[in-house]
Amino acid sequence: MSAKITVTSTEYIQHHLTYLHLNLKNFTLTNGGFWTLNLDTLFFSFVLGVAFLYFFRKVAVRMTSGVPGKLQNFVEVIVEFADSQVKDCFHGRSELIAPLALTIFVWVFLMNFMDLLPVDLLPRIAGMMGIPYLKVVPTNDLNLTFALSLTVFVLIIFYSIKIKGIGGFVKELTLQPFNHWAFIPFNFLLEMVGLIAKPISLSLRLFGNLYAGELIFILIALLPWWIQWPLGWMWAMFHLLIVTLQAFIFMVLTIVYLSLAHEDH
Amino acid sequence: MNINATLFGQMITFILFVWFTMKYVWPPIMKALEERQAKIADGLSAAERGQRELELAQEKVIEQLRAVKQQAAEIVDKANKRATQIIEESKEQAKVEGRRQLELAQEDIQQHITSAKNELRKNVVSLAMTGAERILGREVDKNESAKLIEDLVGEL
Protein backbone atom coordinates (compact mmCIF):
# COMPACT_ATOMS: atom_id res chain seq x y z
CA MET A 1 0.00 0.00 0.00
CA SER A 2 2.63 2.49 1.08
CA ALA A 3 4.95 1.39 -1.70
CA LYS A 4 2.23 2.04 -4.21
CA ILE A 5 1.64 5.55 -2.86
CA THR A 6 5.36 6.32 -3.00
CA VAL A 7 5.51 5.27 -6.59
CA THR A 8 2.51 7.36 -7.54
CA SER A 9 3.89 10.34 -5.63
CA THR A 10 7.21 10.07 -7.39
CA GLU A 11 5.48 9.67 -10.68
CA TYR A 12 3.27 12.65 -9.92
CA ILE A 13 6.24 14.84 -9.11
CA GLN A 14 8.22 13.64 -12.09
CA HIS A 15 5.27 14.24 -14.33
CA HIS A 16 5.05 17.76 -13.05
CA LEU A 17 8.71 18.39 -13.61
CA THR A 18 8.81 17.17 -17.19
CA TYR A 19 8.65 19.63 -20.04
CA LEU A 20 6.66 19.28 -23.20
CA HIS A 21 9.63 18.45 -25.41
CA LEU A 22 9.85 18.91 -29.14
CA ASN A 23 12.75 17.00 -30.65
CA LEU A 24 14.17 19.17 -33.41
CA LYS A 25 15.85 16.19 -35.08
CA ASN A 26 12.71 14.29 -35.94
CA PHE A 27 9.97 16.69 -34.76
CA THR A 28 8.40 14.35 -32.26
CA LEU A 29 7.45 15.11 -28.67
CA THR A 30 10.50 13.36 -27.24
CA ASN A 31 13.64 14.55 -25.53
CA GLY A 32 16.35 14.80 -28.17
CA GLY A 33 19.24 16.05 -26.06
CA PHE A 34 20.43 19.54 -26.86
CA TRP A 35 18.36 20.04 -30.00
CA THR A 36 15.09 20.04 -28.14
CA LEU A 37 12.58 22.82 -27.60
CA ASN A 38 10.59 23.09 -24.40
CA LEU A 39 7.32 24.00 -26.05
CA ASP A 40 5.53 24.79 -22.79
CA THR A 41 8.18 27.27 -21.66
CA LEU A 42 8.28 28.91 -25.06
CA PHE A 43 4.52 29.04 -25.29
CA PHE A 44 3.77 30.48 -21.85
CA SER A 45 6.63 32.97 -21.87
CA PHE A 46 5.59 34.14 -25.32
CA VAL A 47 1.91 34.45 -24.46
CA LEU A 48 2.66 36.34 -21.24
CA GLY A 49 5.16 38.60 -22.94
CA VAL A 50 2.74 39.38 -25.74
CA ALA A 51 -0.03 40.01 -23.21
CA PHE A 52 2.23 42.41 -21.33
CA LEU A 53 3.31 44.23 -24.49
CA TYR A 54 -0.20 44.35 -25.91
CA PHE A 55 -1.57 45.82 -22.70
CA PHE A 56 1.21 48.38 -22.32
CA ARG A 57 1.15 49.28 -26.00
CA LYS A 58 -2.59 49.80 -25.85
CA VAL A 59 -2.21 52.18 -22.93
CA ALA A 60 0.83 53.87 -24.48
CA VAL A 61 -1.09 54.67 -27.66
CA ARG A 62 -3.91 56.31 -25.75
CA MET A 63 -1.54 58.02 -23.35
CA THR A 64 -2.56 61.52 -22.37
CA SER A 65 -0.56 64.13 -20.54
CA GLY A 66 -3.79 65.39 -19.02
CA VAL A 67 -5.72 63.66 -16.28
CA PRO A 68 -4.92 59.94 -16.59
CA GLY A 69 -7.49 57.19 -16.46
CA LYS A 70 -7.25 54.27 -14.06
CA LEU A 71 -5.57 51.97 -16.56
CA GLN A 72 -3.08 54.63 -17.51
CA ASN A 73 -2.42 55.34 -13.86
CA PHE A 74 -1.66 51.70 -13.28
CA VAL A 75 0.77 51.55 -16.18
CA GLU A 76 2.33 54.85 -15.19
CA VAL A 77 2.99 53.60 -11.68
CA ILE A 78 4.84 50.57 -13.02
CA VAL A 79 6.75 52.56 -15.61
CA GLU A 80 7.75 55.22 -13.11
CA PHE A 81 8.78 52.54 -10.66
CA ALA A 82 11.11 51.01 -13.24
CA ASP A 83 12.30 54.44 -14.30
CA SER A 84 13.10 55.54 -10.75
CA GLN A 85 15.03 52.32 -10.16
CA VAL A 86 17.08 52.99 -13.27
CA LYS A 87 17.65 56.63 -12.31
CA ASP A 88 18.77 55.63 -8.83
CA CYS A 89 21.46 53.25 -10.02
CA PHE A 90 22.37 54.38 -13.47
CA HIS A 91 23.66 57.88 -14.04
CA GLY A 92 24.45 57.87 -17.72
CA ARG A 93 22.00 58.26 -20.57
CA SER A 94 20.74 55.16 -22.26
CA GLU A 95 17.75 54.51 -24.46
CA LEU A 96 17.94 50.81 -23.72
CA ILE A 97 18.34 50.28 -20.01
CA ALA A 98 15.03 51.65 -18.73
CA PRO A 99 12.83 49.78 -21.25
CA LEU A 100 14.95 46.69 -20.60
CA ALA A 101 14.33 47.01 -16.87
CA LEU A 102 10.61 47.48 -17.42
CA THR A 103 10.39 44.47 -19.72
CA ILE A 104 12.32 42.29 -17.29
CA PHE A 105 10.30 43.35 -14.30
CA VAL A 106 6.84 42.91 -15.79
CA TRP A 107 7.61 39.86 -17.88
CA VAL A 108 9.42 38.00 -15.13
CA PHE A 109 6.70 38.94 -12.69
CA LEU A 110 3.99 37.59 -14.98
CA MET A 111 5.90 34.37 -15.59
CA ASN A 112 6.58 33.96 -11.87
CA PHE A 113 2.93 34.63 -11.21
CA MET A 114 1.96 31.53 -13.16
CA ASP A 115 3.31 29.68 -10.15
CA LEU A 116 0.29 30.81 -8.17
CA LEU A 117 -2.15 29.04 -10.46
CA PRO A 118 -3.19 25.70 -9.01
CA VAL A 119 -0.44 23.23 -9.93
CA ASP A 120 -2.76 20.74 -11.53
CA LEU A 121 -5.10 23.12 -13.34
CA LEU A 122 -3.40 23.73 -16.66
CA PRO A 123 -1.60 20.34 -16.93
CA ARG A 124 -4.93 18.57 -16.32
CA ILE A 125 -6.68 20.63 -18.99
CA ALA A 126 -3.78 20.01 -21.35
CA GLY A 127 -3.96 16.33 -20.50
CA MET A 128 -7.59 16.28 -21.53
CA MET A 129 -6.60 17.81 -24.85
CA GLY A 130 -4.01 15.08 -25.35
CA ILE A 131 -0.88 16.97 -24.32
CA PRO A 132 1.11 14.60 -22.12
CA TYR A 133 3.33 17.05 -20.22
CA LEU A 134 2.99 20.71 -19.32
CA LYS A 135 5.16 22.87 -17.14
CA VAL A 136 3.32 26.08 -16.60
CA VAL A 137 5.89 28.36 -14.96
CA PRO A 138 8.44 29.47 -17.56
CA THR A 139 10.83 30.95 -14.99
CA ASN A 140 11.57 27.60 -13.44
CA ASP A 141 13.06 26.51 -16.69
CA LEU A 142 16.83 27.08 -16.64
CA ASN A 143 16.70 27.74 -20.36
CA LEU A 144 14.59 30.80 -19.84
CA THR A 145 16.50 32.24 -16.89
CA PHE A 146 19.77 31.66 -18.70
CA ALA A 147 18.36 33.21 -21.85
CA LEU A 148 17.59 36.35 -19.87
CA SER A 149 20.87 36.46 -17.99
CA LEU A 150 22.98 35.65 -21.06
CA THR A 151 21.32 38.46 -22.97
CA VAL A 152 22.11 40.76 -20.06
CA PHE A 153 25.66 39.34 -20.05
CA VAL A 154 26.07 40.14 -23.74
CA LEU A 155 24.85 43.66 -23.02
CA ILE A 156 27.34 43.98 -20.14
CA ILE A 157 30.21 43.06 -22.43
CA PHE A 158 28.86 45.21 -25.24
CA TYR A 159 28.59 48.30 -23.05
CA SER A 160 31.91 47.65 -21.32
CA ILE A 161 33.63 47.64 -24.68
CA LYS A 162 31.55 50.51 -26.05
CA ILE A 163 32.23 52.82 -23.11
CA LYS A 164 35.78 51.87 -22.20
CA GLY A 165 37.04 50.50 -25.49
CA ILE A 166 38.57 47.07 -25.87
CA GLY A 167 41.77 48.28 -24.25
CA GLY A 168 39.91 49.71 -21.29
CA PHE A 169 37.89 46.56 -20.84
CA VAL A 170 40.99 44.35 -20.98
CA LYS A 171 42.73 46.68 -18.55
CA GLU A 172 39.79 46.45 -16.20
CA LEU A 173 39.98 42.67 -16.35
CA THR A 174 43.72 42.45 -15.84
CA LEU A 175 44.91 45.40 -13.77
CA GLN A 176 42.36 45.17 -10.97
CA PRO A 177 42.35 44.88 -8.04
CA PHE A 178 46.19 44.79 -7.99
CA ASN A 179 47.68 47.27 -10.39
CA HIS A 180 50.96 45.54 -11.13
CA TRP A 181 52.04 43.52 -14.16
CA ALA A 182 53.01 40.54 -12.04
CA PHE A 183 49.44 40.20 -10.83
CA ILE A 184 47.91 40.14 -14.29
CA PRO A 185 47.07 36.41 -14.37
CA PHE A 186 45.73 36.52 -10.85
CA ASN A 187 43.67 39.64 -11.56
CA PHE A 188 42.34 38.15 -14.75
CA LEU A 189 41.24 35.00 -12.96
CA LEU A 190 39.53 37.01 -10.25
CA GLU A 191 37.78 39.38 -12.63
CA MET A 192 36.71 36.56 -14.92
CA VAL A 193 35.13 34.75 -12.02
CA GLY A 194 33.39 37.95 -11.03
CA LEU A 195 32.21 38.58 -14.57
CA ILE A 196 30.91 35.09 -15.22
CA ALA A 197 29.34 34.86 -11.78
CA LYS A 198 27.00 37.68 -12.77
CA PRO A 199 24.86 35.87 -15.36
CA ILE A 200 25.07 32.56 -13.51
CA SER A 201 23.95 33.99 -10.18
CA LEU A 202 21.30 36.06 -11.90
CA SER A 203 19.70 33.10 -13.62
CA LEU A 204 20.20 30.52 -10.88
CA ARG A 205 18.70 32.80 -8.24
CA LEU A 206 15.49 33.22 -10.20
CA PHE A 207 15.39 29.59 -11.22
CA GLY A 208 16.09 28.29 -7.73
CA ASN A 209 13.44 30.40 -6.05
CA LEU A 210 10.73 29.54 -8.55
CA TYR A 211 11.70 25.88 -8.79
CA ALA A 212 11.56 25.52 -5.03
CA GLY A 213 8.25 27.32 -4.92
CA GLU A 214 6.77 25.08 -7.58
CA LEU A 215 8.10 21.98 -5.87
CA ILE A 216 6.53 22.96 -2.56
CA PHE A 217 3.20 23.53 -4.29
CA ILE A 218 3.52 20.04 -5.81
CA LEU A 219 4.34 18.57 -2.40
CA ILE A 220 1.40 20.36 -0.82
CA ALA A 221 -0.78 18.92 -3.56
CA LEU A 222 0.28 15.44 -2.44
CA LEU A 223 -0.99 15.98 1.12
CA PRO A 224 -4.50 15.03 2.26
CA TRP A 225 -7.10 17.44 0.96
CA TRP A 226 -7.97 19.03 4.34
CA ILE A 227 -4.43 20.24 4.98
CA GLN A 228 -3.91 21.38 1.39
CA TRP A 229 -6.06 24.49 1.81
CA PRO A 230 -4.32 26.18 4.75
CA LEU A 231 -0.82 25.16 3.65
CA GLY A 232 -1.48 26.03 0.03
CA TRP A 233 -2.92 29.37 1.06
CA MET A 234 0.00 30.18 3.35
CA TRP A 235 2.59 29.20 0.79
CA ALA A 236 0.77 31.14 -1.91
CA MET A 237 0.79 34.27 0.25
CA PHE A 238 4.47 33.84 0.96
CA HIS A 239 5.19 32.99 -2.62
CA LEU A 240 3.41 36.11 -3.82
CA LEU A 241 6.14 38.02 -2.02
CA ILE A 242 8.87 35.89 -3.59
CA VAL A 243 7.36 36.22 -7.03
CA THR A 244 7.42 40.02 -6.85
CA LEU A 245 10.74 40.15 -5.07
CA GLN A 246 12.50 37.93 -7.59
CA ALA A 247 11.20 39.97 -10.51
CA PHE A 248 12.37 43.10 -8.71
CA ILE A 249 15.79 41.65 -7.88
CA PHE A 250 16.33 40.51 -11.44
CA MET A 251 15.51 44.00 -12.68
CA VAL A 252 17.65 45.83 -10.13
CA LEU A 253 20.67 43.56 -10.63
CA THR A 254 20.40 43.99 -14.39
CA ILE A 255 20.45 47.75 -13.91
CA VAL A 256 23.34 47.54 -11.47
CA TYR A 257 25.42 45.30 -13.73
CA LEU A 258 24.81 47.51 -16.73
CA SER A 259 25.62 50.68 -14.80
CA LEU A 260 28.84 49.04 -13.59
CA ALA A 261 29.63 48.27 -17.20
CA HIS A 262 29.14 51.96 -17.98
CA GLU A 263 31.41 53.15 -15.23
CA ASP A 264 34.86 54.14 -16.26
CA HIS A 265 37.49 53.54 -13.60
CA MET B 1 16.10 20.42 -16.62
CA ASN B 2 18.79 20.30 -19.25
CA ILE B 3 19.97 23.26 -21.20
CA ASN B 4 18.73 22.84 -24.73
CA ALA B 5 17.77 24.82 -27.81
CA THR B 6 14.99 26.53 -25.87
CA LEU B 7 17.73 28.86 -24.66
CA PHE B 8 18.11 30.36 -28.13
CA GLY B 9 14.39 30.64 -28.66
CA GLN B 10 14.02 32.42 -25.35
CA MET B 11 16.89 34.77 -26.09
CA ILE B 12 15.31 35.74 -29.39
CA THR B 13 11.92 36.23 -27.70
CA PHE B 14 13.49 38.30 -24.96
CA ILE B 15 15.39 40.51 -27.37
CA LEU B 16 12.24 41.03 -29.44
CA PHE B 17 10.24 41.96 -26.37
CA VAL B 18 12.88 44.41 -25.17
CA TRP B 19 13.12 45.90 -28.64
CA PHE B 20 9.36 46.31 -28.80
CA THR B 21 9.24 47.95 -25.36
CA MET B 22 12.09 50.25 -26.31
CA LYS B 23 10.53 51.21 -29.60
CA TYR B 24 6.80 51.30 -29.00
CA VAL B 25 5.99 51.23 -25.30
CA TRP B 26 8.55 53.30 -23.45
CA PRO B 27 8.77 56.48 -25.58
CA PRO B 28 5.05 57.40 -25.70
CA ILE B 29 4.62 56.79 -21.99
CA MET B 30 7.71 58.79 -21.10
CA LYS B 31 6.68 61.53 -23.50
CA ALA B 32 3.29 61.84 -21.84
CA LEU B 33 4.87 61.80 -18.38
CA GLU B 34 7.34 64.50 -19.33
CA GLU B 35 4.57 66.56 -20.89
CA ARG B 36 2.57 66.28 -17.72
CA GLN B 37 5.62 67.24 -15.70
CA ALA B 38 6.03 70.34 -17.85
CA LYS B 39 2.33 71.12 -17.51
CA ILE B 40 2.46 70.82 -13.75
CA ALA B 41 5.57 72.97 -13.61
CA ASP B 42 3.84 75.57 -15.78
CA GLY B 43 0.76 75.42 -13.61
CA LEU B 44 2.80 75.84 -10.46
CA SER B 45 4.72 78.79 -11.82
CA ALA B 46 1.46 80.34 -13.04
CA ALA B 47 -0.04 79.88 -9.61
CA GLU B 48 2.99 81.50 -8.06
CA ARG B 49 2.77 84.37 -10.50
CA GLY B 50 -0.92 84.73 -9.71
CA GLN B 51 -0.13 84.77 -6.02
CA ARG B 52 2.45 87.48 -6.49
CA GLU B 53 0.07 89.51 -8.60
CA LEU B 54 -2.61 89.09 -5.98
CA GLU B 55 -0.26 90.35 -3.29
CA LEU B 56 0.67 93.29 -5.47
CA ALA B 57 -2.97 94.09 -6.11
CA GLN B 58 -3.73 93.84 -2.41
CA GLU B 59 -0.92 96.22 -1.62
CA LYS B 60 -2.21 98.61 -4.24
CA VAL B 61 -5.71 98.34 -2.87
CA ILE B 62 -4.50 99.08 0.64
CA GLU B 63 -2.57 102.07 -0.62
CA GLN B 64 -5.52 103.38 -2.57
CA LEU B 65 -7.76 102.82 0.40
CA ARG B 66 -5.43 104.84 2.55
CA ALA B 67 -5.38 107.65 -0.01
CA VAL B 68 -9.14 107.59 -0.28
CA LYS B 69 -9.52 107.67 3.49
CA GLN B 70 -7.19 110.65 3.67
CA GLN B 71 -9.15 112.38 0.95
CA ALA B 72 -12.38 111.66 2.72
CA ALA B 73 -10.98 113.02 5.97
CA GLU B 74 -9.90 116.16 4.16
CA ILE B 75 -13.32 116.56 2.63
CA VAL B 76 -15.02 116.09 5.98
CA ASP B 77 -12.62 118.57 7.53
CA LYS B 78 -13.35 121.10 4.83
CA ALA B 79 -17.07 120.54 5.17
CA ASN B 80 -16.82 121.03 8.92
CA LYS B 81 -14.94 124.27 8.45
CA ARG B 82 -17.44 125.42 5.88
CA ALA B 83 -20.29 124.54 8.18
CA THR B 84 -18.81 126.58 11.03
CA GLN B 85 -18.21 129.39 8.65
CA ILE B 86 -21.80 129.25 7.45
CA ILE B 87 -23.03 129.17 11.03
CA GLU B 88 -20.89 132.17 11.90
CA GLU B 89 -22.15 134.01 8.85
CA SER B 90 -25.73 133.15 9.72
CA LYS B 91 -25.18 134.34 13.27
CA GLU B 92 -23.73 137.53 11.95
CA GLN B 93 -26.64 137.98 9.53
CA ALA B 94 -29.11 137.20 12.28
CA LYS B 95 -27.51 139.82 14.51
CA VAL B 96 -27.66 142.42 11.71
CA GLU B 97 -31.22 141.47 10.91
CA GLY B 98 -32.14 141.62 14.58
CA ARG B 99 -30.64 145.04 14.91
CA ARG B 100 -32.49 146.22 11.82
CA GLN B 101 -35.73 144.81 13.12
CA LEU B 102 -35.07 146.49 16.42
CA GLU B 103 -34.47 149.78 14.71
CA LEU B 104 -37.64 149.41 12.69
CA ALA B 105 -39.58 148.61 15.82
CA GLN B 106 -38.05 151.57 17.62
CA GLU B 107 -38.95 153.82 14.70
CA ASP B 108 -42.41 152.42 14.74
CA ILE B 109 -42.66 153.04 18.45
CA GLN B 110 -41.34 156.54 18.02
CA GLN B 111 -43.93 157.15 15.35
CA HIS B 112 -46.64 155.83 17.60
CA ILE B 113 -45.41 158.03 20.40
CA THR B 114 -45.42 161.07 18.14
CA SER B 115 -48.90 160.38 16.85
CA ALA B 116 -50.11 159.72 20.39
CA LYS B 117 -48.61 163.00 21.55
CA ASN B 118 -50.35 164.85 18.70
CA GLU B 119 -53.61 163.15 19.56
CA LEU B 120 -53.08 163.96 23.18
CA ARG B 121 -52.35 167.57 22.33
CA LYS B 122 -55.52 167.83 20.31
CA ASN B 123 -57.50 166.24 23.10
CA VAL B 124 -55.89 168.48 25.67
CA VAL B 125 -56.89 171.55 23.58
CA SER B 126 -60.49 170.50 23.31
CA LEU B 127 -60.51 169.45 26.95
CA ALA B 128 -59.11 172.79 28.00
CA MET B 129 -61.62 174.62 25.82
CA THR B 130 -64.43 172.69 27.37
CA GLY B 131 -63.05 173.21 30.85
CA ALA B 132 -62.66 176.95 30.23
CA GLU B 133 -66.18 177.24 28.83
CA ARG B 134 -67.51 175.55 31.91
CA ILE B 135 -65.51 177.82 34.13
CA LEU B 136 -66.42 181.00 32.32
CA GLY B 137 -69.95 179.91 31.72
CA ARG B 138 -70.03 181.17 28.31
CA GLU B 139 -68.96 180.46 24.92
CA VAL B 140 -65.44 181.18 24.27
CA ASP B 141 -64.60 182.45 20.91
CA LYS B 142 -63.39 179.41 19.56
CA ASN B 143 -61.14 180.79 17.03
CA GLU B 144 -59.44 183.20 19.34
CA SER B 145 -58.98 180.97 22.27
CA ALA B 146 -58.21 178.02 20.14
CA LYS B 147 -55.20 179.84 18.95
CA LEU B 148 -54.27 180.72 22.45
CA ILE B 149 -54.61 177.22 23.73
CA GLU B 150 -52.81 175.82 20.85
CA ASP B 151 -49.93 178.00 21.73
CA LEU B 152 -50.16 176.76 25.26
CA VAL B 153 -50.28 173.20 24.22
CA GLY B 154 -47.39 173.78 21.98
CA GLU B 155 -45.47 174.74 25.02
CA LEU B 156 -46.23 171.43 26.62
Side-chain angles (χ1 to χ4, degrees):
Chain A
M1 179 75 188
S2 69
K4 195 184 168 197
I5 288 170
T6 332
V7 170
T8 34
S9 303
T10 316
E11 273 176 4
Y12 178 78
I13 294 172
Q14 270 176 352
H15 178 266
H16 265 288
L17 293 183
T18 310
Y19 299 100
L20 179 64
H21 291 301
L22 175 70
N23 193 332
L24 287 179
K25 284 175 195 150
N26 50 17
F27 288 97
T28 52
L29 297 179
T30 54
N31 192 348
F34 182 78
W35 290 109
T36 308
L37 285 179
N38 297 342
L39 288 181
D40 38 12
T41 303
L42 282 170
F43 174 75
F44 282 113
S45 64
F46 187 76
V47 165
L48 290 170
V50 167
F52 147 60
L53 290 177
Y54 174 75
F55 176 65
F56 271 58
R57 173 68 187 159
K58 210 175 120 186
V59 174
V61 167
R62 288 187 301 169
M63 200 75 183
T64 162
S65 59
V67 180
K70 284 188 179 120
L71 215 63
Q72 188 184 330
N73 244 337
F74 175 68
V75 167
E76 272 179 22
V77 166
I78 297 173
V79 168
E80 286 197 316
F81 171 69
D83 193 44
S84 68
Q85 292 300 327
V86 172
K87 277 183 182 143
D88 281 351
C89 302
F90 180 72
H91 300 295
R93 257 194 67 79
S94 172
E95 298 291 312
L96 173 70
I97 289 181
L100 175 74
L102 176 73
T103 313
I104 288 175
F105 179 64
V106 181
W107 193 34
V108 170
F109 174 78
L110 286 175
M111 292 190 290
N112 289 351
F113 198 81
M114 296 302 281
D115 214 357
L116 292 170
L117 293 178
V119 276
D120 275 326
L121 181 67
L122 292 179
R124 195 60 63 79
I125 294 171
M128 284 172 192
M129 297 193 307
I131 298 167
Y133 297 106
L134 194 69
K135 248 179 89 112
V136 175
V137 189
T139 33
N140 67 24
D141 185 345
L142 264 181
N143 288 304
L144 184 130
T145 58
F146 264 112
L148 296 185
S149 68
L150 283 179
T151 312
V152 171
F153 184 63
V154 169
L155 284 174
I156 291 173
I157 294 183
F158 171 74
Y159 278 118
S160 292
I161 292 174
K162 190 184 165 196
I163 302 293
K164 300 160 198 163
I166 291 186
F169 187 44
V170 170
K171 249 187 225 166
E172 191 183 271
L173 285 179
T174 50
L175 294 177
Q176 276 183 358
F178 305 109
N179 195 356
H180 189 274
W181 60 268
F183 278 107
I184 284 176
F186 178 70
N187 286 340
F188 184 69
L189 194 71
L190 216 62
E191 286 291 317
M192 270 324 246
V193 169
L195 192 66
I196 290 169
K198 283 174 186 174
I200 292 177
S201 68
L202 204 56
S203 57
L204 286 183
R205 179 182 304 108
L206 182 60
F207 166 76
N209 273 284
L210 270 293
Y211 190 77
E214 171 89 344
L215 209 59
I216 287 179
F217 275 124
I218 295 171
L219 291 177
I220 289 173
L222 284 171
L223 293 171
W225 63 269
W226 48 269
I227 195 83
Q228 277 186 24
W229 302 99
L231 282 181
W233 185 81
M234 267 162 57
W235 183 245
M237 286 298 110
F238 183 60
H239 205 56
L240 191 60
L241 194 73
I242 294 177
V243 156
T244 320
L245 196 65
Q246 287 307 318
F248 174 69
I249 288 173
F250 204 106
M251 174 185 79
V252 168
L253 285 181
T254 303
I255 299 167
V256 169
Y257 289 158
L258 286 179
S259 63
L260 281 179
H262 275 76
E263 252 163 45
D264 214 340
H265 292 284
Chain B
M1 215 191 301
N2 299 318
I3 295 291
N4 55 31
T6 315
L7 182 71
F8 302 123
Q10 287 298 351
M11 276 176 92
I12 293 164
T13 316
F14 180 49
I15 289 165
L16 282 178
F17 284 170
V18 171
W19 170 81
F20 187 87
T21 312
M22 200 170 91
K23 199 91 180 164
Y24 297 108
V25 174
W26 192 264
I29 293 177
M30 271 298 133
K31 195 170 144 258
L33 289 181
E34 272 156 21
E35 270 174 23
R36 186 173 316 137
Q37 234 167 15
K39 259 189 200 176
I40 291 172
D42 281 356
L44 282 179
S45 69
E48 211 170 298
R49 209 165 45 234
Q51 188 77 28
R52 217 174 315 120
E53 268 166 23
L54 180 70
E55 272 166 26
L56 226 75
Q58 272 172 341
E59 260 170 44
K60 212 183 268 178
V61 163
I62 288 171
E63 208 172 299
Q64 276 180 346
L65 211 65
R66 201 183 303 129
V68 164
K69 268 185 189 167
Q70 204 175 339
Q71 228 170 356
E74 272 170 24
I75 287 170
V76 167
D77 215 31
K78 235 185 249 177
N80 276 341
K81 262 185 210 161
R82 179 96 186 97
T84 3
Q85 203 181 340
I86 287 171
I87 288 170
E88 288 301 318
E89 275 174 16
S90 317
K91 273 184 186 169
E92 203 61 37
Q93 263 180 352
K95 267 184 200 164
V96 170
E97 180 69 18
R99 217 173 291 138
R100 202 172 60 85
Q101 291 283 340
L102 194 66
E103 273 166 20
L104 274 177
Q106 275 173 344
E107 251 170 57
D108 211 26
I109 291 168
Q110 205 60 49
Q111 229 170 355
H112 274 105
I113 290 173
T114 322
S115 65
K117 267 183 185 169
N118 288 342
E119 192 80 18
L120 199 64
R121 225 176 262 156
K122 271 181 210 158
N123 286 350
V124 167
V125 169
S126 64
L127 202 65
M129 289 287 275
T130 328
E133 269 173 2
R134 292 251 178 95
I135 295 165
L136 296 178
R138 65 166 176 107
E139 193 127 3
V140 179
D141 184 8
K142 259 184 194 164
N143 293 332
E144 235 171 86
S145 46
K147 208 174 178 253
L148 194 82
I149 290 170
E150 251 172 42
D151 288 344
L152 266 171
V153 170
E155 279 168 29
L156 279 174

